Amino acid sequence: MVTDHEMGQRTLVLGGVRSGKSRFGEQLVLRSGLKPIYLATGRVTDEEMHERIAAHQQRRSSDWETVEEPLALVDALRQSSQKGRVILVDCLTFWVTNLMMAKADVLKECTELKAFLASSTVPIVLVSSETGLGIMPDNKLAREFGDLAGLVNQEIAAVCDTVYFVAAGLPLTLKSGQ
């Protein structure tokens, strides 16, 4: 459970696969006391992904409103940004994957997201996988993904006032806006 950790106006939660980053982000959002919006970027591509998404959905109470948007993240954020709400984006790395598969300009989309975040008046928590802690991938597509995900994480971290890294369910504060 979140204890002394706080959510900034713009908060980034990084971590590895199954690190507890989504659960931590959800706890931050719920502690805000605002109406929680879950903006999901993942797509059901196979049975394992279906089970992963279902587990995330089952963990959330009916208090959450869910918005699913795999590509047009800034548009979905704009539509969901209303006074009295807090938005959890889960996750940026699925968004990067979806943009790559759609042959979209990931860095252009990231620039648009940064601009939106910088001007947003609604608290937003963004979850993203830290992909740079493993070995160098053996194929071009995986290396390109790692490069783009790393760049997106760096760019978003720069505009966020609070950044956490979660490992084994334990959050470490990397940047605090307080």
Side-chain angles (χ1 to χ4, degrees), residues 86-177:
V86 57
I87 302 170
L88 175 72
V89 175
D90 197 0
C91 81
L92 292 180
T93 39
F94 277 129
W95 178 61
V96 168
T97 299
N98 296 335
L99 291 171
M100 287 179 67
M101 295 301 100
K103 307 256 188 274
D105 185 338
V106 175
L107 297 180
K108 177 180 173 281
E109 295 289 334
C110 178
T111 299
E112 291 176 13
L113 176 58
K114 277 179 55 179
F116 177 82
L117 292 172
S119 65
S120 176
T121 58
V122 173
I124 300 172
V125 176
L126 303 112
V127 174
S128 191
S129 293
E130 175 53 61
T131 60
L133 297 175
I135 61 171
M136 180 62 77
D138 69 348
N139 67 76
K140 183 179 187 242
L141 181 61
R143 286 189 300 273
E144 182 181 2
F145 168 76
D147 290 346
L148 288 170
L151 288 171
V152 167
N153 285 345
Q154 290 176 54
E155 292 296 315
I156 300 307
V159 75
C160 285
D161 43 54
T162 306
V163 180
Y164 293 104
F165 181 80
V166 179
L170 302 171
L172 303 167
T173 304
L174 301 180
K175 180 180 178 183
S176 177

Side-chain angles (χ1 to χ4, degrees), residues 14 19 24 27 30 35 39-40 44-45 49 59 62 68 71 77 87 98 112 120 123 142 151-152 157 168 175:
L14 298 166
S19 63
F24 178 74
Q27 291 171 353
L30 290 175
K35 167 73 176 150
L39 205 163
V44 176
T45 54
M49 191 62 186
R59 190 170 63 222
S62 60
E68 296 178 1
L71 294 169
L77 283 166
I87 302 170
N98 296 335
E112 291 176 13
S120 176
L151 288 171
V152 167
K175 180 180 178 183

